[in-house]
Amino acid sequence: MIISVVNQKGGTGKTTVATNLAVAFASKKRDVLLVDADPQQSSLDWQRDRPEDLPHVSVIGLPYSNLSKEISRLKAKYDLILVDGGGRITANARAAVAVADFIVVPTLASKPDAMSTHSFFNEVVEEVAAMKGKVKGAVLFTMIKSGTLFNIAGQEQIKEFGFPVFDSLIYNRITYQEAISQGKSAAEFAPKSKAAQEIKSLFKELSSSL
Ligand SMILES: Nc1ncnc2c1ncn2[C@@H]1O[C@H](COP(=O)(O)OP(=O)(O)OP(=O)(O)O)[C@@H](O)[C@H]1O
Ligand SMILES: [Mg+2]
């Protein structure tokens, strides 16, 4: 099973979601590989900071040009491969979508973000679907500001794309930033935090969608 966390728009929470999901799958004793397909290598940085006493998560960097070839080889070795899709370059995002059995598309809910996510669906997801058939996955709203009315217009716009949307939501929380800077998941950094709960809910919903 290959899950790509991908959106062409930068800074939507791809690495945060990918690292948290990798730990969630690893703690269920799944043999997980996190593939960092982003030249910025943020997932690799996260793993370098990861304390040794925590469950091991293998992370490798793979340039997008090798993704499809290398993944078919790695698929035999791991129960689950998560791809941190990076991908401001269209070819990079396409490669991450093309190798996936399921895509998680983190997006902010503002109007400009909804527009960029829309282009990602038009230019990347539709193109891949035209070649290999229906792309399975769901959009994930991230970095929602609590205390404000969740951006209804942006949210509605994204729902109109006709692609599934996770019920689970990821709020803007400092816990995510603290955790990633220490090579941890939110649950490892602060087990009782709201961020830990959000990831748990996402993990459950994702697992039942696969
Ligand atoms: N839910 C959240 N709450 C607060 N901060 C967040 C959250 N998700 C991500 N961040 C912060 O926002 C920034 C961008 O997040 P992240 O690196 O996960 O996004 P990305 O989509 O991987 O970015 P890039 O396109 O640069 O790879 C980081 O500083 C991260 O710590
Ligand atoms: Mg990233």
Side-chain angles (χ1 to χ4, degrees), residues 65-118:
S65 47
N66 283 351
L67 203 57
S68 133
K69 197 176 90 205
E70 291 292 318
I71 283 238
S72 34
R73 189 177 59 79
L74 293 163
K75 218 172 158 174
K77 286 196 192 164
Y78 292 89
D79 292 339
L80 189 106
I81 300 178
L82 270 162
V83 180
D84 176 354
R88 274 162 226 194
I89 306 159
T90 307
N92 190 340
R94 258 184 216 154
V97 174
V99 296
D101 300 303
F102 192 97
I103 60 171
V104 175
V105 185
T107 184
L108 279 77
S110 73
K111 197 167 172 216
D113 284 282
M115 310 263 287
S116 344
T117 299
H118 196 200

Coordinates of all heavy atoms in Angstrom, one line a residue, residues 65-118:
S65 N 12.3 11.7 -10.2 CA 12.5 11.0 -11.5 C 12.7 9.5 -11.3 O 12.6 8.7 -12.2 CB 13.7 11.6 -12.2 OG 14.8 11.7 -11.2
N66 N 13.1 9.1 -10.0 CA 13.3 7.7 -9.7 C 12.1 7.0 -9.0 O 12.2 5.8 -8.7 CB 14.5 7.5 -8.8 CG 15.8 7.6 -9.5 OD1 15.8 7.7 -10.8 ND2 16.9 7.7 -8.8
L67 N 11.2 7.9 -8.7 CA 10.1 7.4 -7.7 C 9.4 6.1 -8.2 O 9.4 5.1 -7.4 CB 9.1 8.6 -7.5 CG 8.3 8.6 -6.3 CD1 9.2 8.6 -5.0 CD2 7.4 9.8 -6.2
S68 N 8.9 6.2 -9.4 CA 8.1 5.0 -9.8 C 9.0 3.7 -9.9 O 8.5 2.7 -9.4 CB 7.5 5.4 -11.1 OG 7.6 4.4 -12.1
K69 N 10.2 3.8 -10.4 CA 11.0 2.6 -10.5 C 11.4 2.1 -9.1 O 11.3 0.9 -8.9 CB 12.3 3.0 -11.3 CG 13.1 1.8 -11.8 CD 14.2 2.3 -12.7 CE 15.4 2.4 -11.8 NZ 16.5 3.3 -12.3
E70 N 11.9 3.0 -8.3 CA 12.3 2.6 -7.0 C 11.2 2.1 -6.1 O 11.4 1.1 -5.3 CB 13.0 3.7 -6.2 CG 14.3 4.2 -6.9 CD 15.4 3.1 -6.7 OE1 15.5 2.5 -5.6 OE2 16.1 2.8 -7.7
I71 N 10.0 2.7 -6.2 CA 8.9 2.3 -5.3 C 8.5 0.9 -5.6 O 8.2 0.1 -4.7 CB 7.8 3.3 -5.4 CG1 8.1 4.5 -4.6 CG2 6.4 2.7 -5.0 CD1 7.2 4.9 -3.5
S72 N 8.5 0.5 -6.9 CA 8.0 -0.9 -7.2 C 8.9 -1.9 -6.5 O 8.5 -3.0 -6.1 CB 7.8 -1.1 -8.7 OG 8.7 -0.4 -9.4
R73 N 10.2 -1.5 -6.4 CA 11.2 -2.4 -5.8 C 10.9 -2.4 -4.2 O 10.9 -3.5 -3.6 CB 12.6 -1.9 -6.1 CG 13.7 -2.8 -5.6 CD 15.1 -2.2 -6.1 NE 15.3 -0.8 -5.5 CZ 15.7 -0.6 -4.3 NH1 16.0 -1.6 -3.5 NH2 15.9 0.6 -3.8
L74 N 10.7 -1.3 -3.7 CA 10.5 -1.1 -2.2 C 9.2 -1.7 -1.7 O 9.1 -2.1 -0.5 CB 10.6 0.3 -1.8 CG 12.0 1.0 -2.0 CD1 11.9 2.5 -2.0 CD2 12.9 0.5 -0.9
K75 N 8.2 -1.7 -2.6 CA 6.9 -2.2 -2.3 C 6.9 -3.6 -1.7 O 6.1 -3.9 -0.8 CB 6.0 -2.2 -3.6 CG 4.6 -1.7 -3.4 CD 4.0 -1.6 -4.7 CE 2.5 -1.6 -4.6 NZ 1.8 -1.4 -5.9
A76 N 7.8 -4.4 -2.2 CA 7.8 -5.8 -1.7 C 8.4 -5.9 -0.3 O 8.1 -6.8 0.4 CB 8.7 -6.6 -2.7
K77 N 9.1 -4.9 0.1 CA 9.8 -4.9 1.4 C 9.0 -4.4 2.6 O 9.3 -4.7 3.8 CB 11.1 -4.1 1.4 CG 12.2 -4.8 0.6 CD 13.5 -4.1 1.0 CE 14.6 -4.4 0.1 NZ 15.7 -3.4 0.3
Y78 N 8.1 -3.5 2.3 CA 7.3 -2.8 3.4 C 5.8 -3.0 3.3 O 5.3 -3.1 2.2 CB 7.6 -1.3 3.3 CG 9.1 -0.9 3.6 CD1 10.0 -0.9 2.6 CD2 9.4 -0.6 4.9 CE1 11.3 -0.6 2.9 CE2 10.8 -0.4 5.2 CZ 11.7 -0.3 4.2 OH 13.0 0.0 4.5
D79 N 5.2 -3.0 4.5 CA 3.7 -3.1 4.5 C 3.1 -1.9 3.9 O 2.1 -1.9 3.3 CB 3.2 -3.1 6.0 CG 3.6 -4.4 6.7 OD1 3.9 -5.4 6.0 OD2 3.6 -4.3 8.0
L80 N 3.8 -0.8 4.3 CA 3.2 0.5 4.0 C 4.2 1.6 3.6 O 5.2 1.7 4.3 CB 2.4 1.0 5.2 CG 1.6 2.2 4.8 CD1 0.1 1.9 4.7 CD2 1.8 3.3 5.8
I81 N 4.1 2.2 2.5 CA 5.0 3.3 2.1 C 4.2 4.6 2.1 O 3.2 4.7 1.5 CB 5.6 3.0 0.7 CG1 6.4 1.7 0.8 CG2 6.5 4.2 0.3 CD1 7.1 1.3 -0.5
L82 N 4.7 5.6 2.8 CA 4.1 6.9 2.8 C 5.1 7.8 2.0 O 6.3 7.8 2.3 CB 4.1 7.5 4.3 CG 2.8 7.2 5.0 CD1 3.1 7.4 6.5 CD2 1.7 8.1 4.6
V83 N 4.5 8.6 1.1 CA 5.4 9.5 0.4 C 5.1 10.9 0.8 O 3.9 11.4 0.7 CB 5.1 9.3 -1.2 CG1 6.0 10.3 -2.0 CG2 5.4 7.9 -1.6
D84 N 6.1 11.6 1.2 CA 6.0 13.1 1.5 C 6.3 13.7 0.1 O 7.4 13.8 -0.4 CB 7.1 13.5 2.5 CG 7.1 15.0 2.7 OD1 6.3 15.7 2.0 OD2 7.8 15.5 3.6
G85 N 5.2 14.1 -0.5 CA 5.2 14.4 -2.0 C 5.9 15.7 -2.3 O 6.3 15.9 -3.5
G86 N 6.2 16.6 -1.4 CA 6.8 17.9 -1.8 C 6.1 18.4 -3.0 O 4.9 18.5 -3.0
G87 N 6.8 18.7 -4.0 CA 6.3 18.9 -5.3 C 5.7 20.2 -5.8 O 4.6 20.2 -6.2
R88 N 6.5 21.2 -5.7 CA 6.0 22.4 -6.4 C 6.1 22.3 -7.9 O 5.4 22.8 -8.7 CB 6.8 23.6 -6.0 CG 6.3 24.2 -4.7 CD 7.1 25.1 -4.0 NE 7.1 24.7 -2.5 CZ 7.5 25.4 -1.6 NH1 8.1 26.6 -1.8 NH2 7.4 25.0 -0.3
I89 N 7.1 21.4 -8.3 CA 7.2 21.1 -9.8 C 6.1 20.1 -10.2 O 5.9 19.1 -9.5 CB 8.6 20.5 -10.0 CG1 9.7 21.4 -9.5 CG2 8.8 20.2 -11.5 CD1 11.0 20.7 -9.2
T90 N 5.4 20.4 -11.3 CA 4.3 19.6 -11.7 C 4.7 18.1 -11.9 O 4.0 17.2 -11.4 CB 3.7 20.1 -13.0 OG1 3.4 21.5 -12.8 CG2 2.4 19.4 -13.4
A91 N 5.9 17.9 -12.5 CA 6.3 16.5 -12.7 C 6.5 15.8 -11.4 O 6.3 14.6 -11.3 CB 7.6 16.5 -13.5
N92 N 7.0 16.5 -10.4 CA 7.2 15.9 -9.1 C 5.9 15.5 -8.5 O 5.8 14.3 -8.0 CB 8.0 16.9 -8.3 CG 8.5 16.4 -7.0 OD1 8.1 15.4 -6.5 ND2 9.5 17.1 -6.4
A93 N 5.0 16.4 -8.5 CA 3.6 16.1 -7.9 C 3.0 15.0 -8.6 O 2.4 14.1 -8.0 CB 2.8 17.4 -7.9
R94 N 3.1 15.0 -10.0 CA 2.5 13.9 -10.8 C 3.1 12.5 -10.4 O 2.4 11.6 -10.3 CB 2.7 14.2 -12.3 CG 1.5 14.7 -12.9 CD 1.7 14.9 -14.4 NE 1.0 16.1 -14.8 CZ 1.2 16.8 -15.8 NH1 2.2 16.5 -16.6 NH2 0.5 17.9 -16.1
A95 N 4.4 12.5 -10.2 CA 5.0 11.2 -9.9 C 4.5 10.7 -8.6 O 4.2 9.5 -8.4 CB 6.5 11.4 -9.8
A96 N 4.3 11.6 -7.6 CA 3.9 11.2 -6.3 C 2.4 10.7 -6.3 O 2.0 9.8 -5.6 CB 4.0 12.4 -5.3
V97 N 1.6 11.3 -7.2 CA 0.2 10.9 -7.3 C 0.2 9.5 -8.1 O -0.5 8.6 -7.7 CB -0.6 11.9 -8.0 CG1 -2.0 11.4 -8.3 CG2 -0.7 13.2 -7.2
A98 N 1.0 9.5 -9.1 CA 1.0 8.3 -10.0 C 1.4 7.0 -9.3 O 0.8 5.9 -9.5 CB 1.9 8.5 -11.2
V99 N 2.3 7.1 -8.3 CA 2.7 5.8 -7.6 C 1.7 5.4 -6.5 O 1.8 4.3 -6.0 CB 4.1 5.9 -6.9 CG1 5.2 6.1 -8.0 CG2 4.2 7.0 -5.9
A100 N 0.8 6.3 -6.1 CA 0.0 6.1 -4.9 C -1.2 5.2 -5.1 O -1.9 5.3 -6.2 CB -0.4 7.5 -4.4
D101 N -1.6 4.5 -4.1 CA -2.9 3.8 -4.1 C -3.9 4.7 -3.5 O -5.1 4.5 -3.7 CB -2.8 2.5 -3.2 CG -1.8 1.5 -3.7 OD1 -1.9 1.1 -4.9 OD2 -0.8 1.2 -3.0
F102 N -3.4 5.7 -2.7 CA -4.4 6.6 -2.0 C -3.6 7.9 -1.8 O -2.4 7.9 -1.4 CB -4.8 6.0 -0.7 CG -5.9 6.7 0.0 CD1 -7.2 6.3 -0.2 CD2 -5.7 7.9 0.7 CE1 -8.3 6.9 0.4 CE2 -6.8 8.6 1.3 CZ -8.1 8.1 1.2
I103 N -4.2 9.0 -2.1 CA -3.6 10.3 -1.9 C -4.3 11.1 -0.7 O -5.5 11.1 -0.6 CB -3.4 11.2 -3.1 CG1 -4.8 11.6 -3.7 CG2 -2.5 10.6 -4.2 CD1 -4.7 12.7 -4.8
V104 N -3.5 11.7 0.1 CA -4.0 12.6 1.2 C -3.5 14.0 0.7 O -2.3 14.2 0.5 CB -3.3 12.3 2.5 CG1 -3.8 13.3 3.6 CG2 -3.7 10.8 3.0
V105 N -4.5 14.9 0.6 CA -4.2 16.2 0.0 C -4.4 17.3 1.1 O -5.5 17.8 1.2 CB -5.0 16.5 -1.2 CG1 -4.6 17.8 -1.9 CG2 -5.0 15.3 -2.3
P106 N -3.4 17.6 1.8 CA -3.5 18.7 2.8 C -3.7 20.0 2.2 O -3.0 20.4 1.2 CB -2.2 18.7 3.6 CG -1.5 17.4 3.2 CD -2.0 17.1 1.8
T107 N -4.7 20.8 2.7 CA -4.9 22.1 2.1 C -5.4 23.1 3.2 O -6.1 22.6 4.1 CB -5.9 22.1 0.9 OG1 -6.0 23.4 0.4 CG2 -7.3 21.7 1.4
L108 N -5.0 24.3 3.1 CA -5.7 25.3 3.9 C -7.0 25.6 3.3 O -7.2 25.4 2.1 CB -4.8 26.6 4.1 CG -3.6 26.5 5.1 CD1 -2.5 25.6 4.5 CD2 -3.1 27.8 5.4
A109 N -7.9 26.2 4.1 CA -9.3 26.4 3.6 C -9.5 27.8 3.0 O -10.6 28.1 2.6 CB -10.3 26.1 4.6
S110 N -8.5 28.6 2.9 CA -8.8 30.0 2.4 C -9.0 29.9 0.9 O -8.7 29.0 0.3 CB -7.5 30.9 2.7 OG -6.5 30.5 1.8
K111 N -9.6 31.0 0.4 CA -9.9 31.1 -1.0 C -8.7 30.9 -1.9 O -8.7 30.0 -2.8 CB -10.7 32.4 -1.4 CG -11.3 32.2 -2.7 CD -12.3 33.3 -2.9 CE -12.8 33.2 -4.4 NZ -13.1 34.5 -5.0
P112 N -7.6 31.6 -1.7 CA -6.4 31.4 -2.5 C -5.9 30.0 -2.5 O -5.4 29.4 -3.5 CB -5.3 32.4 -2.0 CG -6.0 33.3 -1.1 CD -7.4 32.7 -0.7
D113 N -5.9 29.4 -1.3 CA -5.5 28.0 -1.1 C -6.4 27.0 -1.9 O -6.0 26.1 -2.5 CB -5.4 27.6 0.3 CG -4.1 28.2 1.0 OD1 -3.1 27.6 0.8 OD2 -4.3 29.2 1.7
A114 N -7.7 27.3 -1.8 CA -8.7 26.5 -2.5 C -8.4 26.6 -4.0 O -8.5 25.5 -4.7 CB -10.1 27.0 -2.2
M115 N -8.0 27.8 -4.5 CA -7.7 27.9 -5.9 C -6.5 27.1 -6.3 O -6.5 26.4 -7.3 CB -7.5 29.4 -6.3 CG -8.5 30.3 -5.8 SD -9.7 30.7 -7.0 CE -8.8 31.8 -8.1
S116 N -5.4 27.1 -5.5 CA -4.2 26.4 -5.8 C -4.5 24.9 -5.7 O -4.0 24.1 -6.6 CB -3.0 26.7 -4.9 OG -3.2 27.8 -4.2
T117 N -5.3 24.5 -4.8 CA -5.6 23.1 -4.7 C -6.4 22.6 -5.9 O -6.3 21.6 -6.4 CB -6.3 22.8 -3.3 OG1 -5.4 23.1 -2.3 CG2 -6.7 21.3 -3.2
H118 N -7.3 23.6 -6.3 CA -8.1 23.3 -7.6 C -7.1 23.0 -8.8 O -7.3 22.1 -9.5 CB -9.0 24.4 -7.8 CG -10.1 24.1 -8.8 ND1 -10.8 25.0 -9.5 CD2 -10.6 22.9 -9.2 CE1 -11.7 24.4 -10.2 NE2 -11.6 23.1 -10.1

